[in-house]
Amino acid sequence: DTGAIIPADLLVGADGALYGTTLQGGTGNRGVIYKITTAGSFTALYSFPGLNAFNDAGLATNTTGANPRAALLLAADGNYFVAGYTSSNNDDVDYHIGLEDVWILKMTPAGQVLWQKTLGGSQAESITNFKATSDGGCILTITTDSKNVDLVGIAPNDYPIWLVKLDADSETTWQ
């Protein structure tokens, strides 16, 4: 239940604890965000829900999000960012569009979700990198097969790298 397959380095929080993510484990076996205190105590802060319904193409139809794909980032305000993907069709994720959208959350050190945002078009997107910015937001590097919806200025058949800047409140500043 505590997780497996650690995709990125641990983050040292302002409290001195180590924070990280796993690709597997948790209540839905789709990943965990965890904290290890300086005394060695492990706490699962957030568990990504499981995939338990699939359409004819084999894609999940009711997952809230899964498999955090990058390291946790410390935001300028002391909170954390984590990025993964979602193919949710439920009300737990705002604005899911395509096959798989990038899903980014901003969380407190206690694991409370402050906000979430999905980014994507009608096809599949994947987070390749992201960095926190001094204004409390972040910049994401996303690969995409989509040519529509959130994507501005993307020509058909480009299969581009998509750069997106979010502010501290999840609003898109530029792309």
Side-chain angles (χ1 to χ4, degrees), residues 100 102 124-128 141-146 159-162:
E100 289 181 351
V102 168
E125 281 71 42
S126 181
I127 183 86
T128 58
T141 305
I142 300 167
T143 58
T144 180
D145 292 336
S146 299
Y159 299 100
I161 298 293
W162 181 28

Side-chain angles (χ1 to χ4, degrees), residues 1 4 12 31 67 74 77 91 112 124 130 132 138 148 162 172 175:
D1 285 345
V12 178
N67 306 110
L74 183 60
D77 60 7
D91 292 330
Q112 175 189 3
F130 73 133
C138 61
N148 57 0
W162 181 28
T172 302
Q175 57 180 314

Side-chain angles (χ1 to χ4, degrees), residues 10-68:
L10 297 173
L11 174 71
V12 178
D15 58 1
L18 300 173
Y19 293 83
T21 61
T22 66
L23 289 177
Q24 295 178 348
T27 57
N29 198 34
R30 300 306 279 180
V32 173
I33 298 171
Y34 61 90
K35 172 183 177 177
I36 302 172
T37 66
T38 55
S41 175
F42 176 91
T43 303
L45 299 175
Y46 185 86
S47 182
F48 290 88
L51 308 174
N52 54 22
F54 298 87
N55 63 21
D56 291 339
L59 298 171
T61 60
N62 67 338
T63 177
T64 297
N67 306 110

Side-chain angles (χ1 to χ4, degrees), residues 37-130:
T37 66
T38 55
S41 175
F42 176 91
T43 303
L45 299 175
Y46 185 86
S47 182
F48 290 88
L51 308 174
N52 54 22
F54 298 87
N55 63 21
D56 291 339
L59 298 171
T61 60
N62 67 338
T63 177
T64 297
N67 306 110
R69 300 289 184 190
L72 290 174
L73 296 179
L74 183 60
D77 60 7
N79 292 304
Y80 300 95
F81 293 110
V82 63
Y85 75 90
T86 185
S87 54
S88 176
N89 288 325
N90 64 26
D91 292 330
D92 291 338
V93 172
D94 293 333
Y95 192 63
H96 167 68
I97 299 296
L99 299 175
E100 289 181 351
D101 292 336
V102 168
W103 188 39
I104 184 164
L105 297 89
K106 189 170 188 181
M107 306 178 81
T108 68
Q112 175 189 3
V113 176
L114 298 173
W115 56 255
Q116 61 171 313
K117 184 173 185 94
T118 58
L119 296 163
S122 61
Q123 298 300 311
E125 281 71 42
S126 181
I127 183 86
T128 58
N129 200 351
F130 73 133

